[in-house]
Amino acid sequence: MSTFTSPSTDGRNGTTNRTMNGTMNGTKNASRHGAGNATTTETSRRPRLSGMTWLVWRQHRAAFWTIIAATVLCAAWIVYQRGQLMDFLDAYGFPAKSLDDGDKEVQQHIDAFSSVTTGLTAIPIMLGVLLGAPLLAGDLENGTSKLIAAQSVSRGRWLAAKLGLAGLVVVVSTVTLSAVFAWWWSPLKSRYPGIDWTSSGFFNTTGPVPVALTLLSVFGGAAIGVVLRRTLVAMVVTLGFTAALQAVWGHFKMSLGDIVTITSKAVSPGDPVIFPEMPRTASLLDVSYLTGSGKLLDVTTCTEAQTEEATELCMKKADIVGASMDYIPMSQMNGMQWFGASIVFALTAGVVAFLFFAGRKRLV
């Protein structure tokens, strides 16, 4: 739960006086001893957080520093794993030598991917619950919002500082992790079919997707906190909201791509069907038998036949002359990610608009 630390007037005056005294002393010393001490004066004037931005950072500095530290540690681990992968590929003779012959060694690195993606896919849920839900609910619950409303700072400015600083930390963290993970995965991305690029471990952790999902989770949690005004209750509800968001995203993400359909060369009814070949890294959606009239039948058709002659007779009776396959090639991955992320960004903008135009009335 976030706590409010009100900066006292004395504290501010003390800081101001020390800064002014330091500046004045630095100027005097510079005139006496030359330009050597001017560096001290310039250092004391370096940019610092102030006003509402300083207050919001101080309120949530524990959460912000935890996110930054976790991002640095995770990025460092991924960089180390990337080095291990490149050493293996160089020693293996990749790409001249196919990775299909080294499944056991390659699988070790795939397992390393899995261990990292488990944590990366949980980031939207964790930040939504631990950062988003208490972001405003904590101030509403302990009365800090009333104290701020009584000051000269407007509620809109306070809300902008809250959402802006939290959003900045989230964007920097997720962009960093998305970039380094994509860099780690890139040597195998289009060359090894053993990786399912449509899985949440790869699709949801690269490109703009993690940024979009995390921002919606955090700002959605903040909106839930404004409505419920209780931190613990808001965290529980936000947990359900973020879990539902992940489920809905996982259900509809494949509809973001354009399905490609290929059919095999037609054969005579009853002859063995040769299935068409699709790109190695493509995601297969559906396989069907194709009849002479163009009708699609399930591939389980005629599986109940006990003998080869019975199967041939069954397929001839069903008029099966070929096969059809539906798939999405990996070349559509970036387009699907940006299309889906744009929808999520639009929803996030709607949540932010609610907080500024409707939720602002509840911030007291």
Side-chain angles (χ1 to χ4, degrees):
M1 179 185 302
S2 301
T3 57
F4 173 76
T5 304
S6 177
S8 64
T9 304
D10 293 338
R12 289 183 177 178
N13 290 338
T15 303
T16 304
N17 290 336
R18 286 195 295 271
T19 304
M20 294 178 62
N21 291 337
T23 303
M24 294 175 62
N25 291 336
T27 304
K28 293 179 180 179
N29 291 335
S31 63
R32 294 178 180 178
H33 304 288
N37 290 335
T39 305
T40 304
T41 304
E42 295 175 358
T43 303
S44 65
R45 294 177 179 176
R46 66 181 183 271
R48 293 181 179 180
L49 295 178
S50 61
M52 186 56 61
T53 306
W54 174 86
L55 176 61
V56 173
W57 176 268
R58 185 168 180 82
Q59 261 192 296
H60 304 283
R61 65 187 184 277
F64 291 156
W65 278 120
T66 300
I67 294 171
I68 294 172
T71 300
V72 172
L73 290 176
C74 188
W77 175 252
I78 292 176
V79 170
Y80 169 76
Q81 290 294 332
R82 157 83 181 199
Q84 295 292 101
L85 175 62
M86 295 308 298
D87 290 342
F88 162 72
L89 294 178
D90 290 340
Y92 184 80
F94 178 82
K97 185 179 178 181
S98 174
L99 292 173
D100 295 340
D101 299 330
D103 288 342
K104 184 177 295 186
E105 293 82 356
V106 175
Q107 189 59 44
Q108 295 177 355
H109 294 277
I110 302 302
D111 293 339
F113 284 139
S114 300
S115 63
V116 173
T117 55
T118 300
L120 294 182
T121 52
I123 287 178
I125 297 177
M126 291 189 296
L127 293 188
V129 173
L130 300 178
L131 177 62
L135 189 65
L136 299 174
D139 292 338
L140 292 170
E141 186 175 13
N142 60 30
T144 302
S145 59
K146 295 182 179 179
L147 177 61
I148 292 179
Q151 307 301 316
S152 59
V153 178
S154 66
R155 285 175 290 180
R157 183 182 173 189
W158 171 58
L159 186 59
K162 282 270 190 176
L163 299 181
L165 197 54
L168 178 62
V169 172
V170 167
V171 169
V172 170
S173 174
T174 50
V175 167
T176 300
L177 294 177
S178 173
V180 293
F181 182 77
W183 178 60
W184 177 23
W185 177 37
S186 59
L188 301 179
K189 181 176 180 179
S190 59
R191 295 183 176 93
Y192 185 65
I195 296 177
D196 181 11
W197 60 270
T198 64
S199 66
S200 60
F202 294 92
F203 193 89
N204 294 358
T205 56
T206 57
V209 174
V211 183
L213 290 178
T214 306
L215 281 177
L216 181 55
S217 298
V218 171
F219 290 159
I224 291 172
V226 169
V227 173
L228 299 180
R229 307 173 72 90
R230 293 291 183 270
T231 302
L232 184 58
V233 178
M235 292 174 71
V236 174
V237 175
T238 301
L239 177 61
F241 165 73
T242 53
L245 173 63
Q246 293 285 332
V248 172
W249 172 262
H251 180 73
F252 288 103
K253 68 180 179 182
M254 294 307 296
S255 62
L256 301 172
D258 296 324
I259 299 176
V260 177
T261 301
I262 55 174
T263 57
S264 63
K265 186 177 180 179
V267 296
S268 300
D271 290 346
V273 175
I274 300 176
F275 289 88
E277 292 186 5
M278 66 177 190
R280 299 183 64 199
T281 55
S283 176
L284 180 63
L285 301 180
D286 188 36
V287 181
S288 303
Y289 282 132
L290 184 65
T291 66
S293 61
K295 184 179 179 181
L296 298 178
L297 300 178
D298 193 89
V299 291
T300 59
T301 303
C302 299
T303 55
E304 296 180 356
Q306 301 296 325
T307 63
E308 183 177 349
E309 291 77 8
T311 301
E312 181 179 344
L313 181 61
C314 175
M315 296 184 71
K316 186 174 182 179
K317 184 178 180 180
D319 193 26
I320 296 175
V321 297
S324 174
M325 301 175 68
D326 295 337
Y327 69 91
I328 297 180
M330 181 182 279
S331 59
Q332 295 189 24
M333 180 178 179
N334 290 338
M336 293 170 62
Q337 288 178 316
W338 279 104
F339 181 38
S342 65
I343 297 175
V344 178
F345 282 136
L347 294 175
T348 304
V351 172
V352 174
F354 163 78
L355 288 171
F356 272 100
F357 296 106
R360 188 171 57 178
K361 299 178 181 180
R362 303 177 59 88
L363 296 179
V364 288

mmCIF file of all heavy atoms in Angstrom, residues 107 109-119 181 184 202:
data_model
loop_
_atom_site.group_PDB
_atom_site.id
_atom_site.type_symbol
_atom_site.label_atom_id
_atom_site.label_comp_id
_atom_site.label_asym_id
_atom_site.label_seq_id
_atom_site.Cartn_x
_atom_site.Cartn_y
_atom_site.Cartn_z
ATOM 1 N N GLN A 107 17.353 -28.306 -27.427
ATOM 2 C CA GLN A 107 16.274 -28.341 -26.447
ATOM 3 C C GLN A 107 16.694 -27.706 -25.131
ATOM 4 O O GLN A 107 15.868 -27.114 -24.417
ATOM 5 C CB GLN A 107 15.809 -29.781 -26.213
ATOM 6 C CG GLN A 107 14.556 -29.892 -25.367
ATOM 7 C CD GLN A 107 13.373 -29.155 -25.984
ATOM 8 O OE1 GLN A 107 13.137 -29.257 -27.186
ATOM 9 N NE2 GLN A 107 12.619 -28.430 -25.164
ATOM 10 N N HIS A 109 18.512 -25.084 -24.782
ATOM 11 C CA HIS A 109 18.330 -23.644 -24.934
ATOM 12 C C HIS A 109 16.848 -23.287 -25.027
ATOM 13 O O HIS A 109 16.439 -22.205 -24.569
ATOM 14 C CB HIS A 109 19.086 -23.148 -26.172
ATOM 15 C CG HIS A 109 20.568 -23.264 -26.044
ATOM 16 N ND1 HIS A 109 21.333 -22.307 -25.403
ATOM 17 C CD2 HIS A 109 21.444 -24.228 -26.455
ATOM 18 C CE1 HIS A 109 22.613 -22.664 -25.432
ATOM 19 N NE2 HIS A 109 22.702 -23.824 -26.066
ATOM 20 N N ILE A 110 16.040 -24.162 -25.593
ATOM 21 C CA ILE A 110 14.594 -23.929 -25.614
ATOM 22 C C ILE A 110 14.050 -23.914 -24.193
ATOM 23 O O ILE A 110 13.172 -23.115 -23.850
ATOM 24 C CB ILE A 110 13.878 -24.999 -26.457
ATOM 25 C CG1 ILE A 110 14.425 -25.017 -27.880
ATOM 26 C CG2 ILE A 110 12.377 -24.752 -26.463
ATOM 27 C CD1 ILE A 110 14.296 -23.699 -28.597
ATOM 28 N N ASP A 111 14.576 -24.787 -23.343
ATOM 29 C CA ASP A 111 14.170 -24.800 -21.941
ATOM 30 C C ASP A 111 14.547 -23.496 -21.248
ATOM 31 O O ASP A 111 13.817 -23.007 -20.369
ATOM 32 C CB ASP A 111 14.814 -25.984 -21.217
ATOM 33 C CG ASP A 111 14.283 -27.326 -21.706
ATOM 34 O OD1 ASP A 111 13.183 -27.348 -22.293
ATOM 35 O OD2 ASP A 111 14.979 -28.349 -21.516
ATOM 36 N N ALA A 112 15.698 -22.932 -21.640
ATOM 37 C CA ALA A 112 16.100 -21.637 -21.078
ATOM 38 C C ALA A 112 15.127 -20.550 -21.500
ATOM 39 O O ALA A 112 14.779 -19.670 -20.702
ATOM 40 C CB ALA A 112 17.523 -21.290 -21.522
ATOM 41 N N PHE A 113 14.671 -20.621 -22.751
ATOM 42 C CA PHE A 113 13.639 -19.687 -23.197
ATOM 43 C C PHE A 113 12.406 -19.795 -22.309
ATOM 44 O O PHE A 113 11.850 -18.786 -21.858
ATOM 45 C CB PHE A 113 13.223 -19.986 -24.649
ATOM 46 C CG PHE A 113 14.213 -19.529 -25.679
ATOM 47 C CD1 PHE A 113 14.508 -20.322 -26.773
ATOM 48 C CD2 PHE A 113 14.850 -18.307 -25.568
ATOM 49 C CE1 PHE A 113 15.415 -19.909 -27.731
ATOM 50 C CE2 PHE A 113 15.757 -17.877 -26.523
ATOM 51 C CZ PHE A 113 16.038 -18.682 -27.608
ATOM 52 N N SER A 114 11.975 -21.019 -22.059
ATOM 53 C CA SER A 114 10.745 -21.250 -21.303
ATOM 54 C C SER A 114 10.832 -20.696 -19.889
ATOM 55 O O SER A 114 9.865 -20.125 -19.364
ATOM 56 C CB SER A 114 10.425 -22.750 -21.262
ATOM 57 O OG SER A 114 10.251 -23.260 -22.569
ATOM 58 N N SER A 115 11.991 -20.851 -19.256
ATOM 59 C CA SER A 115 12.143 -20.377 -17.883
ATOM 60 C C SER A 115 12.037 -18.862 -17.797
ATOM 61 O O SER A 115 11.516 -18.318 -16.817
ATOM 62 C CB SER A 115 13.489 -20.841 -17.317
ATOM 63 O OG SER A 115 14.571 -20.277 -18.052
ATOM 64 N N VAL A 116 12.500 -18.164 -18.827
ATOM 65 C CA VAL A 116 12.437 -16.703 -18.829
ATOM 66 C C VAL A 116 11.051 -16.211 -19.243
ATOM 67 O O VAL A 116 10.513 -15.282 -18.642
ATOM 68 C CB VAL A 116 13.519 -16.115 -19.757
ATOM 69 C CG1 VAL A 116 13.357 -14.597 -19.892
ATOM 70 C CG2 VAL A 116 14.908 -16.441 -19.226
ATOM 71 N N THR A 117 10.475 -16.833 -20.260
ATOM 72 C CA THR A 117 9.170 -16.378 -20.740
ATOM 73 C C THR A 117 8.069 -16.575 -19.701
ATOM 74 O O THR A 117 7.081 -15.840 -19.703
ATOM 75 C CB THR A 117 8.776 -17.120 -22.031
ATOM 76 O OG1 THR A 117 8.816 -18.543 -21.805
ATOM 77 C CG2 THR A 117 9.721 -16.762 -23.162
ATOM 78 N N THR A 118 8.240 -17.542 -18.809
ATOM 79 C CA THR A 118 7.257 -17.724 -17.740
ATOM 80 C C THR A 118 7.136 -16.467 -16.897
ATOM 81 O O THR A 118 6.036 -16.032 -16.536
ATOM 82 C CB THR A 118 7.637 -18.921 -16.858
ATOM 83 O OG1 THR A 118 7.678 -20.108 -17.653
ATOM 84 C CG2 THR A 118 6.637 -19.105 -15.724
ATOM 85 N N GLY A 119 8.285 -15.867 -16.586
ATOM 86 C CA GLY A 119 8.263 -14.624 -15.816
ATOM 87 C C GLY A 119 7.819 -13.431 -16.635
ATOM 88 O O GLY A 119 7.076 -12.573 -16.140
ATOM 89 N N PHE A 181 14.868 -9.705 -25.191
ATOM 90 C CA PHE A 181 14.399 -11.065 -25.434
ATOM 91 C C PHE A 181 14.305 -11.351 -26.929
ATOM 92 O O PHE A 181 14.648 -12.450 -27.379
ATOM 93 C CB PHE A 181 13.038 -11.310 -24.782
ATOM 94 C CG PHE A 181 12.535 -12.715 -24.954
ATOM 95 C CD1 PHE A 181 13.053 -13.741 -24.179
ATOM 96 C CD2 PHE A 181 11.578 -13.025 -25.901
ATOM 97 C CE1 PHE A 181 12.623 -15.053 -24.338
ATOM 98 C CE2 PHE A 181 11.131 -14.325 -26.075
ATOM 99 C CZ PHE A 181 11.661 -15.341 -25.293
ATOM 100 N N TRP A 184 17.711 -12.082 -28.117
ATOM 101 C CA TRP A 184 18.146 -13.430 -27.728
ATOM 102 C C TRP A 184 17.547 -14.487 -28.656
ATOM 103 O O TRP A 184 18.212 -15.432 -29.079
ATOM 104 C CB TRP A 184 17.716 -13.664 -26.276
ATOM 105 C CG TRP A 184 18.012 -15.025 -25.717
ATOM 106 C CD1 TRP A 184 18.963 -15.919 -26.154
ATOM 107 C CD2 TRP A 184 17.375 -15.645 -24.599
ATOM 108 N NE1 TRP A 184 18.944 -17.053 -25.375
ATOM 109 C CE2 TRP A 184 17.988 -16.923 -24.416
ATOM 110 C CE3 TRP A 184 16.356 -15.262 -23.739
ATOM 111 C CZ2 TRP A 184 17.593 -17.787 -23.410
ATOM 112 C CZ3 TRP A 184 15.980 -16.115 -22.732
ATOM 113 C CH2 TRP A 184 16.591 -17.365 -22.573
ATOM 114 N N PHE A 202 6.334 -16.325 -26.652
ATOM 115 C CA PHE A 202 7.078 -15.605 -27.682
ATOM 116 C C PHE A 202 6.254 -14.460 -28.272
ATOM 117 O O PHE A 202 6.772 -13.362 -28.468
ATOM 118 C CB PHE A 202 7.509 -16.576 -28.784
ATOM 119 C CG PHE A 202 8.502 -17.592 -28.323
ATOM 120 C CD1 PHE A 202 8.087 -18.829 -27.839
ATOM 121 C CD2 PHE A 202 9.856 -17.318 -28.334
ATOM 122 C CE1 PHE A 202 9.002 -19.768 -27.400
ATOM 123 C CE2 PHE A 202 10.786 -18.249 -27.893
ATOM 124 C CZ PHE A 202 10.353 -19.480 -27.422
#
